[in-house]
Amino acid sequence: MVINRQFKSVLFHVIVLGCGLLMLYPVFWLLSASVKPTTEIFTSQGLWPSNFTLDHYSEGWFGLRNIQFGRFFLNSILLCLVAVFGTVLSSSMAAFSFARIDFPLKNILFALMLGTIMLPGHVTLIPQYIMFHKLGWVDSYLPLMTPKFVGDAFFVFLIVQFIRGIPKELDESAKIDGCGWFTLYFRIIMPLSLPALMTAAIFTFMGTWDDFFGQLIYLSDIKKFTVPLGLRLFLDSSGSSNWGAVFAMSVLSIVPSLVIFFIGQKYFTQGIATTGLKG
């Protein structure tokens, strides 16, 4: 009986490990391609390069139209920081209002807000572009930053469910001590909602960092390009694409997302696991 149980445990871990390696294979191939000579990238069968080289990293970082690739990293980081700040602040304020404050038509407005989750982003793309074009915001970061300060329906719902699990007795105790709504929000609810806020921050960072379509629509000045648009500059429709530089810069581009995820992994898993549970 014990042997059978141990065999099942070993078999389970072997299967999970195999699936994990299978999912990580594209990452291993990307790392391998970034240190292979260009002639071996699509011809070599194995992952280990026969001739190890780091030339692709220097080519990608310094050899792009007299603009260092670090410029694209700085642009992406700036855009992500503003997006995370705006999304977390606006979504948490809206969630606090829906979860703790009673006001007319609250349930109807909450249902309408949730309905926007089912609305594809491509439906609103053209009206938004026309609006931002009339405001003169095209070819700037404003169309990409400003919407982050009006809340995200998914994150509002996520944070609402988390706040509902915080005992309301804390609100009553705070009010007895003279706390108003803003003090209650900033000093009580926000610190206790840190796992949900970190979850929203991680999702927002990764979504903004990896966003290609939105940045392609609104940005045209190469000096304002972000990492996804910078990677596109290495590709040439005529067939003279620098694939080695593309893979090398792609390896560097996934580093910030990995760092952010591993730093906030504890809060991320806690926020997902406890959302919707009652205190």
Side-chain angles (χ1 to χ4, degrees):
M1 188 68 177
V2 176
I3 297 177
N4 188 29
R5 186 180 305 171
Q6 291 178 346
F7 174 76
K8 290 182 179 180
S9 177
V10 171
L11 180 63
F12 172 77
H13 285 86
V14 169
I15 294 175
V16 171
L17 179 61
C19 293
L21 293 175
L22 184 64
M23 289 187 290
L24 287 174
Y25 177 80
V27 179
F28 295 148
W29 188 93
L30 179 64
L31 290 171
S32 174
S34 67
V35 295
K36 286 181 179 180
T38 305
T39 55
E40 295 184 12
I41 292 178
F42 297 110
T43 58
S44 177
Q45 299 296 326
L47 291 178
W48 192 259
S50 60
N51 295 312
F52 187 87
T53 179
L54 295 176
D55 293 341
H56 298 315
Y57 286 89
S58 60
E59 292 175 2
W61 193 266
F62 297 105
L64 186 61
R65 302 186 187 182
N66 298 323
I67 298 178
Q68 292 188 10
F69 204 86
R71 177 67 176 267
F72 305 141
F73 269 89
L74 291 177
N75 294 339
S76 288
I77 290 173
L78 173 63
L79 185 61
C80 288
L81 291 178
V82 175
V84 168
F85 175 78
T87 300
V88 172
L89 179 64
S90 58
S91 299
S92 62
M93 292 181 69
F96 173 76
S97 301
F98 281 120
R100 286 297 197 255
I101 302 176
D102 292 326
F103 54 89
L105 304 178
K106 182 176 77 170
N107 294 332
I108 296 177
L109 293 175
F110 187 69
L112 291 175
M113 181 206 67
L114 293 180
T116 61
I117 299 178
M118 297 180 288
L119 188 65
H122 299 83
V123 174
T124 60
L125 177 63
I126 295 178
Q128 283 183 348
Y129 183 86
I130 294 174
M131 178 181 66
F132 291 137
H133 184 269
K134 290 183 177 180
L135 291 173
W137 289 2
V138 176
D139 196 23
S140 72
Y141 296 130
L142 290 175
L144 303 172
M145 292 179 174
T146 305
K148 305 299 182 181
F149 287 87
V150 295
D152 184 280
F154 173 75
F155 297 134
V156 171
F157 173 74
L158 180 73
I159 301 173
V160 163
Q161 296 301 102
F162 192 92
I163 293 177
R164 285 176 177 172
I166 300 175
K168 289 189 176 181
E169 288 78 6
L170 295 175
D171 301 14
E172 299 172 358
S173 299
K175 291 178 182 178
I176 293 175
D177 292 335
C179 292
W181 287 117
F182 283 101
T183 304
L184 177 63
Y185 164 73
F186 281 109
R187 301 189 64 177
I188 305 297
I189 300 300
M190 284 278 281
L192 293 176
S193 303
L194 184 60
L197 299 181
M198 287 296 297
T199 301
I202 293 173
F203 273 118
T204 302
F205 182 91
M206 291 187 173
T208 306
W209 185 269
D210 296 333
D211 180 32
F212 173 79
F213 186 69
Q215 298 166 8
L216 177 65
I217 292 296
Y218 292 110
L219 300 178
S220 57
D221 186 358
I222 188 175
K223 294 182 179 180
K224 299 176 182 177
F225 277 11
T226 56
V227 170
L229 298 182
L231 291 173
R232 178 176 174 268
L233 296 177
F234 291 107
L235 304 179
D236 190 351
S237 59
S238 64
S240 58
S241 303
N242 189 348
W243 289 107
V246 171
F247 296 140
M249 294 302 99
S250 297
V251 171
L252 296 181
S253 69
I254 65 177
V255 172
S257 296
L258 290 176
V259 171
I260 292 297
F261 179 79
F262 283 114
I263 289 176
Q265 184 179 16
K266 179 182 68 173
Y267 298 102
F268 173 75
T269 54
Q270 184 180 355
I272 295 296
T274 57
T275 296
L277 298 179
K278 293 296 183 181

